[in-house]
Amino acid sequence: MSAAQNSDAPTLLVKIFGKDRPGTTAGLFETLTAYRVDVVDIEQVVIRGRMVLCALVTQPPAGQEGDLRAAVHSWAGAVKMEAEILSGTGDNRPRGSGRSIVTVLGNPLTAEQTAAIASRTTAAGGNIDRIFRLAKYPVTAVEFAVSGVATEFLRTALATEAAALGVDIAVVSAGLHRRAQRLVVMDVDSTLIQDEVIELFAAHAGCEEKVAEVTAAAMRGELDFEQSLHARVALLEGLDASVVDKVRSEVRLTPGARTLVRTLKRLGYQVGVVSGGFTQVTDDLKERLGLDFAQANTLEIVDGRLTGRVIGEVVDRAGKARLLRRFAAEAGVPLAQTVAIGDGANDLDMLNTAGLGVAFNAKPVVREAAHTAVNVPFLDTVLYLLGISREEVEAADGGGLVEH
């Protein structure tokens, strides 16, 4: 067993801090090279141009520790940095069982909110091992690596805190599978787009208020979706089919939707949509955004007019979950590695079937049942829940500005 692997072996914690400048890390380890130490652990953080570099190294050969300390302090002074060296034994203590990633989204993220989250994590039996900022805009996104507590227990413990503090908190199991989530399936109305498509059609038919009332009741889970769909579509009977093109032009993508899809595609994900709306719109979105999968209901058109009926199998709450499974099978992705995003009661089965279900600006019943919730108006913030930082988003976008 090497000295670096021996938990009882003497070690030195070398901490360097000061104004960040090129070559600092190389300079420290070049200084240490003369003392034949092994690196046990290393971590470096830069915040607003100030660096903290910590290196845990084995004790040098007998009689050389004093020279090492003097050399490190001398080098640090020469580069206008400060140094601190602490003696001890072994490495970091083993992390507790149960590893989770806690992602916090705030707009802004306050000190009070951060303190409450950290305190609740500790009270639940968790230890915060590492903190990393994923993004500073359009929201502040911070990732906590936590050990020592089961993921489900921590998620429950932080859910109440999130609601009280007005922040979004996602808790997922840590591990390789988090980055292996390779299929993302979204609802369309009020998720990928800002609109309810049937209401856009209804506006042209002069029955917008009646349709909106039924839509709201269905999304709250108060009405059977299929019955409400048929009732709403019946109000469109006789509408000229030319209105399809008008509705397509009226559809407004949710802020961040293009960035979300483009980033996922460039990182190798497959992306699909399932909708209780209509293929007359989702097929157009599939082509515009380069989606891999799309499925929705189809309005029947005869002799250039809407008949007030839908044809084919209805995409309802259960249908969305079935389609997620089908898309996953076609993509060759296990369900545990899928992500579903939705806002309404008819998305619940899909959200709970996916490896990660995200309630996006959702109704209360959906927020309470989903794995996690996002309550900011930017769809691309879902990327942070997958551990993708803003810098990675911009890199995938070729360094250009992302859209909101």
Side-chain angles (χ1 to χ4, degrees):
M1 179 183 294
S2 70
Q5 296 171 316
N6 185 352
S7 61
D8 296 323
T11 52
L12 298 176
L13 175 60
V14 181
K15 182 169 74 171
I16 305 297
F17 49 99
K19 184 178 180 181
D20 184 33
R21 49 175 48 84
T24 300
T25 305
L28 171 63
F29 286 97
E30 287 170 0
T31 302
L32 293 173
T33 296
Y35 301 94
R36 293 181 292 166
V37 296
D38 296 333
V39 176
V40 179
D41 196 1
I42 179 172
E43 189 149 349
Q44 178 175 307
V45 176
V46 178
I47 297 180
R48 210 184 67 184
R50 306 294 292 183
M51 167 195 277
V52 178
L53 168 60
C54 292
L56 187 65
V57 299
T58 54
Q59 189 178 54
Q64 294 188 25
E65 183 176 332
D67 292 341
L68 180 151
R69 288 173 175 268
V72 169
H73 282 286
S74 176
W75 165 80
V79 296
K80 296 182 172 56
M81 303 286 282
E82 296 185 58
E84 182 180 15
I85 303 175
L86 302 174
S87 299
T89 58
D91 194 354
N92 303 309
R93 71 177 187 270
R95 295 179 183 177
S97 59
R99 309 280 179 85
S100 303
I101 298 296
V102 178
T103 307
V104 180
L105 307 180
N107 190 23
L109 179 62
T110 68
E112 179 185 8
Q113 292 165 338
T114 306
I117 293 164
S119 296
R120 194 68 188 90
T121 299
T122 301
N127 184 71
I128 299 173
D129 300 318
R130 182 169 298 175
I131 304 174
F132 177 75
R133 187 183 73 182
L134 290 167
K136 60 182 179 181
Y137 68 93
V139 298
T140 300
V142 179
E143 184 175 280
F144 296 76
V146 177
S147 62
V149 59
T151 297
E152 290 296 330
F153 184 80
L154 182 61
R155 180 183 292 136
T156 301
L158 291 178
T160 303
E161 204 70 52
L165 293 172
V167 295
D168 295 331
I169 301 178
V171 183
V172 299
S173 297
L176 292 176
H177 66 278
R178 185 179 182 222
R179 283 289 189 132
Q181 291 165 319
R182 292 298 180 187
L183 172 65
V184 176
V185 176
M186 291 175 278
D187 173 46
V188 176
D189 293 12
S190 298
T191 300
L192 181 65
I193 65 174
Q194 300 177 59
D195 312 282
E196 292 289 330
V197 168
I198 196 165
E199 292 178 10
L200 296 179
F201 277 102
H204 291 280
C207 56
E208 187 175 12
E209 289 187 11
K210 292 182 180 179
V211 166
E213 290 175 6
V214 181
T215 298
M219 295 301 285
R220 291 192 300 267
E222 297 170 3
L223 292 176
D224 173 79
F225 177 80
E226 184 170 353
Q227 290 178 334
S228 70
L229 174 69
H230 289 307
R232 288 175 291 173
V233 171
L235 296 170
L236 306 180
E237 182 180 0
L239 195 61
D240 193 282
S242 63
V243 78
V244 169
D245 289 334
K246 294 178 183 178
V247 168
R248 285 176 174 174
S249 68
E250 292 166 352
V251 165
R252 300 166 299 162
L253 291 172
T254 297
R258 286 188 184 276
T259 297
L260 172 68
V261 174
R262 185 166 57 234
T263 302
L264 291 171
K265 295 291 292 178
R266 289 179 178 175
L267 293 176
Y269 287 69
Q270 296 189 60
V271 185
V273 293
V274 291
S275 176
F278 310 110
T279 57
Q280 282 83 357
V281 170
T282 58
D283 287 350
D284 181 61
L285 289 170
K286 181 181 180 183
E287 183 176 351
R288 285 167 56 192
L289 298 175
L291 303 175
D292 300 284
F293 305 99
Q295 190 69 42
N297 300 302
T298 300
L299 292 168
E300 183 181 58
I301 298 175
V302 176
D303 296 330
R305 293 191 176 275
L306 276 64
T307 66
R309 296 186 294 270
V310 293
I311 55 176
E313 184 180 0
V314 170
V315 178
D316 57 6
R317 175 170 168 167
K320 287 189 173 186
R322 285 195 302 271
L323 287 165
L324 171 65
R325 293 188 184 94
R326 194 185 86 190
F327 293 167
E330 292 178 10
V333 175
L335 280 174
Q337 295 175 6
T338 63
V339 180
I341 310 168
D343 75 299
N346 64 329
D347 296 315
L348 276 173
D349 289 3
M350 175 178 73
L351 297 180
N352 290 322
T353 297
L356 175 64
V358 180
F360 180 73
N361 291 311
K363 284 65 179 175
V365 66
V366 183
R367 289 200 303 269
E368 292 168 7
H371 298 130
T372 189
V374 170
N375 296 299
V376 294
F378 310 112
L379 192 57
D380 54 338
T381 55
V382 172
L383 293 167
Y384 308 144
L385 306 184
L386 306 181
I388 300 169
S389 71
R390 199 66 191 174
E391 288 78 8
E392 290 173 306
V393 172
E394 294 173 354
D397 204 44
L401 294 175
V402 294
E403 137 274 350
H404 283 121

